[in-house]
Amino acid sequence: METDDELLVRSAGEARAFEPLVGRHATALHGYFARRAPAAADDLLAEAWLQAFTARGTYDPARGTARAWLFGVARNVLAAHWRGEARHRRTVPADESSSDPWHAVDRRLDAAAVAPLIRETLAELPHVERELMLLVAWEQLSPTEAAAVVGVPAGTARSRLHRARARLRAALGQSRTLPLTGDLT
């Protein structure tokens, strides 16, 4: 069986090679969108696949895995969606505007008793640290893959993840490791 990387490279010249990637990653990418923009997840997934297929020739395996590349495309689609939402909010009266997209993410956290504290702490994290934490915790990307998604070196991603986890532990008053950890390879 071909790896994702091999399929994505081959798909640049043979479009049908892209199809197995959709089957392998559609659920994970849909989850990524559903946790961040629930009402638009299906449309965002379709747009992400369209953009990934169109840009498949730009994939460079030396820069990261196919999975990380696909999540990078998804992240760009989501960012464009949020920019569009922000433009829409500026043209809609304040009482009709939708809230910050991170509030939708926060509402979906399933952390029962500590959810408000986790939400507050995540909101206080710098954007890249928060995104790295969510990519590793929710999307089950490795820190190296998450680094490729947000465009930072792997070592930088690991140190930012460590810092973000430390802030969460401190906020929760815990000395043990949070369940929001991932493989640090």
Side-chain angles (χ1 to χ4, degrees), residues 6-25:
E6 293 166 339
L7 285 169
L8 191 51
V9 167
R10 189 162 58 89
S11 74
E14 183 185 333
R16 291 189 65 78
F18 193 81
E19 289 177 29
L21 293 171
V22 175
R24 292 177 186 178
H25 298 285

Side-chain angles (χ1 to χ4, degrees), residues 58-109:
T58 66
Y59 170 67
D60 178 6
R63 296 189 62 207
T65 66
R67 179 176 164 85
W69 184 82
L70 288 169
F71 273 96
V73 170
R75 182 175 186 249
N76 291 338
V77 167
L78 183 63
H81 169 74
W82 281 348
R83 282 190 302 274
E85 289 289 309
R87 280 191 298 275
H88 176 70
R89 280 193 300 274
R90 285 192 296 268
T91 62
V92 174
D95 59 327
E96 296 178 29
S97 69
S98 59
S99 62
D100 178 0
W102 282 107
H103 293 299
V105 173
D106 292 340
R107 285 190 302 270
R108 299 187 60 84
L109 282 173

Side-chain angles (χ1 to χ4, degrees), residues 6 17-18 26 33 78-79 104 115 152 168 170 178 181:
E6 293 166 339
F18 193 81
F33 291 125
L78 183 63
V152 298
L168 281 170
L178 291 173
T181 59

Side-chain angles (χ1 to χ4, degrees), residues 99-164:
S99 62
D100 178 0
W102 282 107
H103 293 299
V105 173
D106 292 340
R107 285 190 302 270
R108 299 187 60 84
L109 282 173
D110 185 21
V114 294
L117 184 55
I118 290 174
R119 280 193 298 270
E120 180 181 322
T121 305
L122 281 173
E124 291 172 357
L125 289 175
H127 175 72
V128 172
E129 286 181 21
R130 179 176 53 233
E131 187 67 14
L132 286 167
M133 176 69 84
L134 296 177
L135 286 167
V136 170
W138 279 352
E139 312 314 331
Q140 300 300 301
L141 293 178
S142 71
T144 301
E145 290 172 324
V149 171
V150 299
V152 298
T156 301
R158 284 190 290 275
S159 67
R160 289 181 180 182
L161 278 168
H162 176 76
R163 189 170 40 242

